[in-house]
């Protein structure tokens, strides 16, 4: 029983990471109806840049803001070179290939800089597990959950309270009308990409002490987070948290009780079921336009 | 104030507007009337950069704005309340009004008395005051129209482009909308008003242009056009 609860704990922590990455997908989808398929690579870059800083002796708490700034820059680059040209010519699919291509380029670049191995990333808290309800939980797992929730809350508060955040929501609602309000909507879309990569890089630094950091680790995380975004709904903030936790737990349980070789299977089966029964996601809204 | 010379614009390769010339002097209401599909909305869209003009000049207070993106034109003080209202449905009434003043709140335009202007807008449109914290998407069509107009006013604009404020509204609401336009007029606003509802538009405007197939076919003072038998027959319904 203890081991079961322990698996639930790790599943939740993992799920929150998926949730944060999925949150990043939502940010760009809202403003531009496009996604950064290199999100997983952004996470990996965040972890690797963080690891390098950590090896240089930089304090973990100082690494976080530096990596976040790195994420802002990385996301802007992806938007400027990969997405903007496609949006300009109103291409429906151009951005898919270009964001994947940029992701591959980033991965190759990272593999050449850091090699293909995986490295230990020292977290800021003790490695000794705590006992909660009789089961072990790592302090880092608690930190992951807190960090993930804090990140999403901060973006939510920014969107709802600040005039710039409202400009982001307005652009998501109606891009042309936002332009008429004096909002530079191209800049808003660049910003949403920057913010989306920031959340991914932040997630990378959060998860790296629990797993291992490696230049090839991004792809599958990005893909599973995409499954979370689809399961939870691309428009529902609550949905990705629930979706993330469902997928995270199903993964840790399968990995322990069946085989680690099959741990990715249940999440993808859940994805297929949701797509066939409720394509807008468990919590997604089908929008109704008033004319 | 706003001068449009030989404007041509369209969608893709189809040229809709053929050499449009319009002038809107300060503190005047100029109306652009005509049947469905005449090119009225396209004209407004070309003015505010929602579509790029292919030739011609547009100047605002002498400053060329033809090739500017929409947001920069708005920052210069040209407010456009677009066809179909286009309010931000998942934001509240208050947020919508705040966004109308976006250039003022972000330093691209003189801030002025933002709080006072919000109160003034709410007084002009009392329905909005009651619904201040309601999501714009839940408002009725008439209320959304009021919101779209109030949002345009919040820019503290030099000039307002108002596209079909009467569209899809019940007669009583159309009357209310036009009452508000004439109240704005007495406060000295400059406006380019696009309307299909020609009688009401001519009653409130100083000067009018009649559009047909992408061309201006008649222009003159509103009073003159109101009494022109040909116009009456074609647009006002000859009773």
């Amino acid at each position: 029983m203890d081991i079961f609860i322990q698996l639930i704990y790790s599943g939740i922590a993992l799920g929150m990471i998926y949730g944060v990455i999925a949150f990043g997908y939502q940010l760009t989808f809202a403003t531009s109806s496009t996604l950064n398929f290199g999100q997983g690579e952004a996470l990996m870059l965040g972890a690797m840049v963080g690891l390098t800083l950590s090896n240089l002796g930089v304090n973990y708490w100082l690494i976080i803001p530096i990596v976040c700034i790195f994420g802002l820059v990385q996301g802007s680059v992806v938007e400027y070179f990969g997405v903007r040209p496609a949006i300009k010519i109103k291409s429906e699919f151009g951005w898919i290939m270009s964001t994947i291509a940029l992701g591959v380029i980033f991965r190759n670049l990272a593999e050449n800089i850091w090699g293909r191995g995986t490295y230990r990333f020292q977290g800021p808290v003790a490695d000794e597990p705590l006992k909660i309800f009789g089961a072990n939980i790592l302090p880092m797992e608690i930190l992951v959950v807190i960090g993930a929730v804090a990140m999403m809350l901060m973006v939510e508060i920014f969107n709802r309270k600040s005039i710039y955040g409202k400009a982001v929501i307005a652009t998501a609602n109606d891009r042309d009308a936002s332009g008429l309000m004096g909002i530079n909507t191209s800049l808003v879309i660049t910003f949403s990409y920057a913010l989306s990569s920031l959340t991914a890089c932040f997630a990378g630094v959060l998860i790296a002490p629990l797993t291992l950091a490696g230049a090839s680790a991004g792809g599958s995380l990005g893909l599973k987070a995409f499954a979370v975004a689809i399961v939870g709904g691309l428009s529902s903030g609550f949905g990705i948290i629930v979706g993330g936790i469902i997928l995270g737990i199903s993964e840790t349980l399968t990995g322990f009780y069946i085989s680690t070789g099959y741990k990715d299977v249940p999440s993808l089966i859940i994805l297929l079921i949701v797509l066939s029964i409720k394509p807008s996601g468990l919590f997604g809204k089908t929008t109704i336009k008033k004319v | 104030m706003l001068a449009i010379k030989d404007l041509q614009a369209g969608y893709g390769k189809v040229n809709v507007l053929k050499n449009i010339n319009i002038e809107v002097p300060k503190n005047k209401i100029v109306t652009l009337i005509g049947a469905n599909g005449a090119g009225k909305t396209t004209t407004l869209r070309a003015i505010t950069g929602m579509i790029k003009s292919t030739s011609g000049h547009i100047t605002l207070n002498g400053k060329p704005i033809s090739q500017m993106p929409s947001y920069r034109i708005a920052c210069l003080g040209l407010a456009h309340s677009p066809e179909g209202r286009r309010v931000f449905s998942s934001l509240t009434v208050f947020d919508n009004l705040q966004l109308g003043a976006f250039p003022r709140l972000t330093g691209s335009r003189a801030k002025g008395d933002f709080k006072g202007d919000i109160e003034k807008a709410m007084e002009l449109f009392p329905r909005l005051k009651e619904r201040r914290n309601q999501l714009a998407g839940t408002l009725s069509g008439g209320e959304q129209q009021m919101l779209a107009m109030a949002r345009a006013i919040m820019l503290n604009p030099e000039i307002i482009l108002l596209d079909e404020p009467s569209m899809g509204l019940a007669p009583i609401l159309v009357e209310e909308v036009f009452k508000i336009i004439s109240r704005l007029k007495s406060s000295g606003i400059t406006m380019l008003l696009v309307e299909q509802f020609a009688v009401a538009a001519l009653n409130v405007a100083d000067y009018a242009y009649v559009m047909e197939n992408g061309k201006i076919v008649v222009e003159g003072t509103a009073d003159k056009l109101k009494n022109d038998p040909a116009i009456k027959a074609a647009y006002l319904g000859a009773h």
Side-chain angles (χ1 to χ4, degrees):
Chain A
M1 192 61 201
D2 287 356
I3 191 81
F4 179 76
I5 298 175
Q6 197 173 319
L7 288 167
I8 300 279
Y9 289 158
S10 349
I12 291 174
L14 187 63
M16 291 311 284
I17 289 295
Y18 293 154
V20 174
I21 311 173
F23 184 65
Y25 283 122
Q26 290 186 335
L27 292 174
T28 62
F29 189 72
T31 56
S32 62
S33 304
T34 62
L35 302 166
N36 178 7
F37 282 107
Q39 244 340 38
E41 272 70 31
L43 175 138
M44 172 276 292
L45 285 176
M48 296 316 283
V49 169
L51 179 73
T52 308
L53 292 169
S54 173
N55 289 341
L56 290 172
V58 182
N59 181 290
Y60 186 85
W61 302 111
L62 192 62
I63 289 175
I64 291 181
I66 299 175
V67 165
C68 285
I69 291 168
F70 171 81
L72 285 176
V73 175
Q74 196 264 352
S76 308
V77 168
V78 170
E79 196 276 341
Y80 193 81
F81 292 104
V83 183
R84 184 172 293 216
I87 294 181
K88 199 168 251 166
I89 60 160
K90 299 203 159 59
S91 153
E92 300 249 15
F93 308 110
W95 55 270
I96 299 180
M97 216 38 237
S98 55
T99 56
I100 292 176
L102 281 166
V104 173
I105 293 172
F106 280 123
R107 182 166 69 229
N108 285 340
L109 206 64
E111 284 170 350
N112 279 306
I113 297 174
W114 291 288
R116 289 178 179 232
T118 46
Y119 309 92
R120 223 183 95 73
F121 192 131
Q122 185 55 48
V125 284
D127 288 336
E128 281 74 52
L130 305 169
K131 287 259 182 213
I132 297 182
F133 300 118
N136 286 337
I137 183 165
L138 293 170
M140 195 61 213
E141 287 174 339
I142 299 174
L143 197 63
V144 161
V145 174
I146 294 173
V149 171
M151 168 57 77
M152 291 191 252
L153 273 182
M154 258 151 55
V155 175
E156 259 330 277
I157 290 170
F158 169 78
N159 276 349
R160 275 166 210 243
K161 296 293 171 203
S162 81
I163 181 77
Y164 293 100
K166 287 173 189 174
V168 173
I169 301 181
T171 305
N173 265 205
D174 187 332
R175 194 176 164 196
D176 278 346
S178 301
L180 295 179
M181 299 302 116
I183 297 165
N184 183 348
T185 53
S186 302
L187 194 64
V188 169
I189 291 173
T190 309
F191 172 73
S192 68
Y193 265 84
L195 200 59
S196 147
S197 275
L198 180 153
T199 56
C201 286
F202 174 71
V205 178
L206 274 185
I207 193 77
L210 284 177
T211 57
L212 291 165
S216 319
S220 74
L221 274 170
L223 188 68
K224 274 183 272 178
F226 186 59
V228 166
I230 300 295
V231 168
L234 266 169
S235 55
S236 163
F238 182 66
I240 48 164
I241 295 182
V242 177
I245 291 175
I246 293 176
L247 263 64
I249 291 176
S250 73
E251 191 177 321
T252 52
L253 291 183
T254 316
F256 185 79
Y257 290 111
I258 300 173
S259 153
T260 46
Y262 284 114
K263 72 183 169 67
D264 295 343
V265 174
S267 50
L268 296 172
I269 291 176
I270 294 171
L271 171 73
L272 291 173
I273 294 171
V274 169
L275 274 179
S276 57
I277 295 172
K278 201 168 178 296
S280 59
L282 291 178
F283 299 90
K285 286 161 274 183
T286 24
T287 42
I288 300 160
K289 265 196 179 155
K290 249 192 193 176
V291 217
Chain B
M1 171 72 59
L2 181 70
I4 300 154
K5 285 202 180 71
D6 300 321
L7 175 68
Q8 303 218 29
Y11 302 94
K13 284 188 176 140
V14 188
N15 219 19
V16 179
L17 304 179
K18 293 144 196 153
N19 292 315
I20 302 292
N21 287 287
I22 292 175
E23 211 159 310
V24 186
K26 198 172 164 60
N27 302 334
K28 298 283 181 208
I29 294 189
V30 172
T31 184
L32 186 57
I33 53 181
N36 236 342
K40 307 182 298 291
T41 294
T42 307
T43 306
L44 295 194
R45 291 169 69 91
I47 295 173
T48 45
M50 292 172 83
I51 55 172
K52 292 273 168 277
S53 53
T54 45
S55 73
H57 298 280
I58 307 168
T59 55
L60 178 65
N61 287 327
K63 201 171 173 176
I65 57 168
S66 317
Q67 296 305 321
M68 276 187 191
S70 304
Y71 77 94
R72 286 192 50 207
I73 296 174
C75 293
L76 290 173
L78 195 153
H80 180 176
S81 167
E83 184 184 37
R85 298 144 200 157
R86 310 282 285 266
V87 296
F88 302 117
S89 51
S90 62
L91 288 167
T92 64
V93 167
F94 179 81
D95 290 344
N96 268 271
L97 293 177
Q98 212 183 0
L99 283 168
F102 185 79
R104 297 169 61 189
L105 296 170
T106 55
S108 315
R109 194 167 163 67
K111 184 162 187 215
D113 179 15
F114 170 72
K115 282 204 176 115
D117 287 347
I118 282 264
E119 293 314 316
K120 257 191 243 164
M122 301 260 190
E123 257 156 55
L124 198 57
F125 303 93
R127 283 155 174 276
L128 298 182
K129 196 172 197 166
E130 298 159 29
R131 310 206 182 286
R132 194 184 171 104
N133 295 316
Q134 205 171 311
L135 292 183
T138 64
L139 300 180
S140 71
E143 288 160 351
Q144 289 192 357
Q145 184 56 52
M146 309 277 171
L147 179 57
M149 287 167 72
R151 187 177 66 173
I153 293 166
M154 283 307 295
L155 181 65
N156 214 350
E158 309 276 322
I159 174 170
I160 292 189
L161 311 188
L162 192 51
D163 198 347
E164 298 245 15
S166 72
M167 193 171 77
L169 299 188
I172 184 154
L173 281 171
V174 175
E175 213 174 289
E176 198 176 330
V177 164
F178 275 95
K179 254 185 215 155
I180 290 166
I181 295 176
S182 49
R183 209 179 309 161
L184 287 172
K185 184 186 182 179
S186 54
S187 73
I189 207 159
T190 312
M191 183 185 286
L192 177 56
L193 170 67
V194 158
E195 255 302 336
Q196 272 195 64
F197 200 25
V199 192
L202 288 174
N203 277 335
V204 72
D206 300 292
Y207 200 84
Y209 293 85
V210 181
M211 239 183 142
E212 219 170 80
N213 294 324
K215 278 185 257 182
I216 304 278
V217 286
V218 183
E219 65 175 282
T221 62
D223 289 330
K224 191 180 129 208
L225 260 59
K226 251 190 294 190
N227 301 314
D228 183 321
I231 300 289
K232 262 188 181 168
Y235 299 102
L236 307 181
H239 297 296

